[in-house]
Amino acid sequence: MKKIILGMLIILTSLSFSNNLDKYESKRVFDKNIEVLLTGNYDKYKDDPEMVRALGEIDKKSETKMSEEVFLSYKNNQYKVTDVKENKYKSELTVLVTYCSFLDVLQDEPLEELQIEIFNKFQEVVDESGKTEEELEDEYVKVLLNVLYEKYKEKAQKKTKIIKVHMNKKNGLWDIIGFEEETNNELFYTFFPILEISEIFGDTLAE
C-alpha cells in the first residue's frame, strides 16, 4: 500500500511540475511548434495568437516538402521540456529528446559508394527537371535523406539525450531561433540527419 501511495505521489508531483512549466509562453510555443512538425497538421494552431510567428516560419521552411519516407524517420521523435529559463526577450529550454540517428550506422559504411548513389539519384532529378544543380539545392537534401532512410531505416538507432533549445521574442511573439545563429544545431540534428552526419564526416556526403 505504501508503495502504491508513493507511486501516486510521484506521478502527481511530475504532473504538477509539467503544468508549472506551461506558465512560460516560450515553452507553450515550443510544444505546439514540435507538434506541428511531427504531425504535419498546420491548421490546428492557425488561429492561435501565440503561434503567428512560429507558423509563418514553418510555412517558409515547408515550401520544399520532404518525402513520406523522411517524415517517417522523425515522426516518432519525442520532446519533453524539463526546465525553462525565460526572460523578456530570450528563453532557454532544457529538453529531453528521443530521436532517430544514422550516425553509428554510417561509421563502418563505404561512404564513397553511398555518395555515388546519392549523386546518381540527384542527377536523375536534375535531368527530369531541366534545371541546374544550383537551382535544385533543396532537392539534393531531399534525395540524401530519402536514400539514408530507405537504406538504413531498419538499422537506425533511437537515441535519447538532453539538449538546450534557444528561443527569442520579436514583436511580442516567440519562436525557435533558426539555422542562421547555429545555437539550435542539436535540435535540428534530430529532424535532419544530414546535419548530424556532416558534423562528423565533414562534407563527404554533402558535396
Side-chain angles (χ1 to χ4, degrees):
M1 177 63 82
K2 289 183 178 180
K3 289 184 178 180
I4 294 175
I5 294 174
L6 179 60
M8 292 178 66
L9 287 174
I10 292 173
I11 293 172
L12 290 173
T13 301
S14 175
L15 290 173
S16 175
F17 180 72
S18 177
N19 290 335
N20 286 339
L21 292 182
D22 283 337
K23 69 183 180 182
Y24 296 106
E25 185 179 5
S26 60
K27 189 266 185 185
R28 297 196 302 271
V29 171
F30 174 81
D31 285 343
K32 295 172 188 175
N33 212 327
I34 292 297
E35 181 183 346
V36 170
L37 290 171
L38 295 182
T39 64
N41 185 358
Y42 297 88
D43 294 329
K44 182 173 181 178
Y45 296 112
K46 66 180 181 180
D47 297 321
D48 187 329
E50 291 184 340
M51 290 294 288
V52 172
R53 180 184 168 207
L55 285 182
E57 290 300 314
I58 291 175
D59 281 341
K60 289 179 185 177
K61 293 180 177 63
S62 65
E63 289 177 0
T64 303
K65 298 291 185 182
M66 293 297 170
S67 74
E68 182 65 17
E69 287 293 319
V70 174
F71 176 65
L72 287 173
S73 74
Y74 67 73
K75 68 174 294 187
N76 292 318
N77 287 4
Q78 298 176 357
Y79 301 82
K80 180 176 178 57
V81 178
T82 61
D83 189 35
V84 179
K85 295 178 181 178
E86 179 183 294
N87 59 35
K88 191 172 182 181
Y89 296 110
K90 292 185 178 181
S91 182
E92 180 185 86
L93 280 57
T94 301
V95 182
L96 180 66
V97 55
T98 300
Y99 69 105
C100 184
S101 174
F102 294 90
L103 257 189
D104 293 338
V105 177
L106 293 177
Q107 293 284 357
D108 300 319
E109 285 295 311
L111 295 184
E112 289 186 8
E113 294 179 14
L114 182 59
Q115 184 184 26
I116 291 172
E117 180 178 352
I118 292 168
F119 176 78
N120 288 339
K121 288 187 178 295
F122 176 60
Q123 197 60 50
E124 292 176 8
V125 174
V126 173
D127 294 341
E128 291 175 2
S129 70
K131 297 181 179 180
T132 65
E133 293 183 7
E134 290 72 19
E135 292 175 304
L136 294 171
E137 186 176 344
D138 288 340
E139 291 293 325
Y140 180 81
V141 176
K142 287 172 61 177
V143 169
L144 190 152
L145 292 174
N146 288 341
V147 170
L148 285 180
Y149 187 70
E150 186 57 39
K151 285 178 69 71
Y152 304 113
K153 59 185 176 184
E154 302 299 331
K155 297 181 181 179
Q157 297 179 350
K158 282 289 183 182
K159 290 190 174 182
T160 298
K161 64 180 179 180
I162 294 175
I163 64 174
K164 300 292 185 181
V165 175
H166 300 272
M167 302 180 67
N168 60 18
K169 193 174 188 179
K170 295 181 180 179
N171 300 319
L173 296 169
W174 287 100
D175 195 16
I176 299 169
I177 295 175
F179 292 100
E180 64 278 2
E181 295 188 26
E182 298 187 359
T183 56
N184 284 319
N185 280 355
E186 283 197 297
L187 172 64
F188 300 138
Y189 291 167
T190 65
F191 281 99
F192 301 108
I194 182 178
L195 299 174
E196 185 182 36
I197 292 166
S198 63
E199 187 80 7
I200 303 299
F201 295 106
D203 295 327
T204 304
L205 294 181
E207 292 177 350

